[in-house]
Amino acid sequence: MDYLPIFVDVRKSTCLVVGGGDIAARKANLLCQAQTNVTVISPVVSDAMTVLIDGGSVNWLQATFSTDIEMPYRLVIAATDDETVNEQVYHYAKAHKILVNVADKPQLCDFILPSILDRSPIVVAVSSGGESPILARQLRTRLETLIPPSYGRLAKMVGRYRNAVKEKLPTLKMRRRFWESVLQGPIADHVLAGREQLGEQALQTAIKDSRDEVVTSGEVYLVGGGPGDPELLTFKALRLMQQADIVFYDRLVSKQVLALVRKEADQVYVGKQRAWHSVRQEEINQLLVAEAKLGKRVLRLKGGDPFIFGRGGEEIASLAAEHIPFQVVPGVTAASGCASYAGIPLTHRDYSQSCIFVTGQIKEGELDLNWAALVQPRQTVVVYMGLRGLKILSQKLQQHGLDADTPAALIQQGTTEHQKVWVSTIADLPSLAQKEQPVAPTMVIIGEVVKLHKSLAWF
Ligand code: SAH
């Protein structure tokens, strides 16, 4: 982030606007909406500014700006049409350590004014860091349709009952669950649909009936985070990610996906390291059980799909044994993600009628696979974790009869901005990898369908 978003209480202070034109008037008007006192310095003022002055919201000092004036201001905004004056204002404010904004000059801004969606007390501010105010405005417009004005009423109603709920439910966790169920259920629906009285009555009843249960049982969400592109998450994944208390995530979960987990959730990295794999897995299973027993909503976030080379089955086995409720949310597995984003259909009427997923992980220097099954014609083979064992893979497939010229692709960090695709043959895969040094995670796809990459690549 280039800027820290904060909401400043300016109600008991005075802010200065230098300039009297329409832009200055817009800024002054914004300040007025935040209930601050506004002083405007300008020799002349526009009609728009006159309206504000006549309405009593703005105090006009009819003068040109000079560095003799006192600076008792909370914020300063310079919006004259004279760049020299604007710069002067900037330096003068800086000298007085007052935050300053010069209209349309990001390099002369301590703070920028975001695009605002005002559903007070809900306020959404969108900023493009000064790069593209128009884009920020378009996003604001989109949010406008998502957040109808009734959200302001809903927030106000919640505000009125916050203390009552606090008295009834002493723990933060109970209160959070209470409000989540109110805000996602029929009570909120009433208010948003304009039936405020009904909503309020229902809320009063809910408060009366609520109980502070000391131990509520936790739950584990085993969620597939997909291959990297956050837009490939399912709605369900996102919803559960947004209500987790704690998240255990893997090395494969992309930063962008992780950024969508509820901000207040504790984040625990449990990325596996090859050598002590199995010990670690047992530890993870126990961690999930322990946290859920504390009553937490535990998010186990994995790359791709949890049930495809994700050891998801083992993790929920220990939950099932302990009678801990859980949900499993599938994710886009790396095979689908990489294939789609590389323009390699996994099946195709002309080239491939079946598709096999295998793990290429070497154990004690060996690759233990059903080779006869892998060398069948008209079939696509997708190899997960195949990078280190590439040489053995290539040799064994040929030994078992796969044509040395069979097309093969390496897809590095598929669906992300770092995606790279190399196409070669099964015989040349090892030397290709030697030359290009792909980094993990990388996927191997073998079969005639790989030829289609040339014409179908789009990403
Ligand atoms: N459960 C995961 C797979 C875990 S195994 C899933 O369903 O996708 C880890 C292997 O998946 C890696 O070694 C790599 O071969 C593959 N992989 C995962 N994400 C990938 C990506 N974005 N690009 C390429 N390969 C990926």
Side-chain angles (χ1 to χ4, degrees), residues 61 83 85 123 135 139 178 217 258 293 300 316-317 386 458:
L61 295 183
E83 283 193 20
V85 174
V123 176
L135 181 62
L139 282 171
F178 176 82
S217 83
L258 198 62
K293 279 188 173 170
R300 175 66 174 117
I316 57 172
W458 61 273

Side-chain angles (χ1 to χ4, degrees), residues 224 226-229 250-252 272 274 302-312 331-338 357-360 382-387 410-416 419-420 439-444:
D229 181 351
D250 270 5
R251 183 171 46 86
L252 278 177
K272 289 182 202 140
R274 262 184 227 101
K302 306 190 87 116
D305 182 288
F307 277 5
I308 296 181
F309 303 123
R311 307 193 73 166
V332 171
T333 188
S336 305
C338 293
F357 294 175
V358 294
T359 158
V382 181
V383 188
Y384 287 73
M385 297 172 273
L387 205 49
L410 290 179
I411 302 160
Q412 170 196 291
Q413 295 170 315
T415 80
T416 74
Q419 171 173 306
K420 277 194 186 155
V439 295
T442 288
M443 175 68 91
V444 188

Side-chain angles (χ1 to χ4, degrees), residues 173 176-177 180 217-221 243-247 262 291-292 295-299:
K173 197 163 83 195
R176 185 155 67 74
R177 292 206 178 171
E180 276 173 1
S217 83
E219 184 171 3
V220 176
Y221 314 133
Q243 62 184 46
D245 299 307
I246 184 166
V247 51
R262 189 171 144 250
E291 293 294 327
K296 292 190 195 171
R297 286 176 290 192
V298 182
L299 171 68

Side-chain angles (χ1 to χ4, degrees), residues 342 344 381 383 390 406-412 420-426 429 432 442-447 449-451 453:
I344 301 176
V381 178
V383 188
L390 216 49
T406 308
L410 290 179
I411 302 160
Q412 170 196 291
K420 277 194 186 155
V421 181
W422 296 279
V423 169
S424 175
T425 61
I426 184 68
L429 266 192
L432 175 73
T442 288
M443 175 68 91
V444 188
I445 301 184
I446 299 161
V449 286
V450 168
K451 287 198 286 204
H453 165 73

Side-chain angles (χ1 to χ4, degrees), residues 18-27 40 42 44-49 79-80:
V18 183
D22 287 345
I23 297 175
R26 270 208 300 278
K27 311 277 179 192
V40 166
S42 179
V44 284
V45 291
S46 69
D47 289 349
M49 191 66 97
T80 76

Side-chain angles (χ1 to χ4, degrees), residues 10 42-43 58 117 140 165 220 229 239 242 292 347 375 393 443:
V10 286
S42 179
V58 165
L117 173 66
R140 199 249 349 253
V165 172
V220 176
D229 181 351
R239 182 167 62 76
Q242 284 290 318
T347 65
V375 297
L393 182 78
M443 175 68 91

Side-chain angles (χ1 to χ4, degrees), residues 320-356:
E322 300 270 356
H323 305 290
I324 290 168
F326 60 84
Q327 305 180 43
V328 184
V329 182
V332 171
T333 188
S336 305
C338 293
S340 295
Y341 278 52
I344 301 176
L346 291 176
T347 65
H348 190 284
R349 271 166 69 101
D350 300 334
Y351 304 108
S352 165
Q353 277 73 46
S354 64
C355 178
I356 295 192

